[in-house]
Amino acid sequence: MDVGSKLKPSVVLTGTASEGTAGPPIGLVDTGISKDAYLFRIALPGIRRNESKLSCDVKVDGTVNIKGQVVHDGGILKNSSREFQMKVQQLCPPGPFSISFKLPGPVDPRLFFAQFRDDGILEAVVYKSKLPTVDGNLPPS
């Protein structure tokens, strides 16, 4: 299999993430592969770390599900001594969203490490599964 095709996951957007048409889109995904792990980065512009109710769930089969809430609105933005009446046109509209995609292979969800960076990128590393899987689940211990 061509490595380049493994690095282009099929991404499904729902909710307000699928409605954003102008400006920086939510849900652009880059993936990387190493011997032992996968790295993925997802663009989440306009998402506020402390207010977005952001969650990321990784399944044994490599499926990644991200859910959250876009909370910005057209309200008033205070910057130093000025106030601005905002009219949001370029970012994803307020409301819930979800992003789903599949990594190139099975993973161990217990070995999942994520960081929501200040630049609006969710960056995560999840280690490849070392155990055989049965129907997408880890075998019984």
Side-chain angles (χ1 to χ4, degrees), residues 14-17 26 44 47 54 66-70 95-99:
T14 65
T16 59
I26 285 180
L44 300 172
I47 304 299
L54 194 63
I66 299 166
K67 293 181 182 178
Q69 180 88 19
V70 178
F97 70 88
S98 69
I99 303 166

Side-chain angles (χ1 to χ4, degrees), residues 90-101:
Q90 301 299 313
L91 295 175
C92 183
F97 70 88
S98 69
I99 303 166
S100 298
F101 62 95

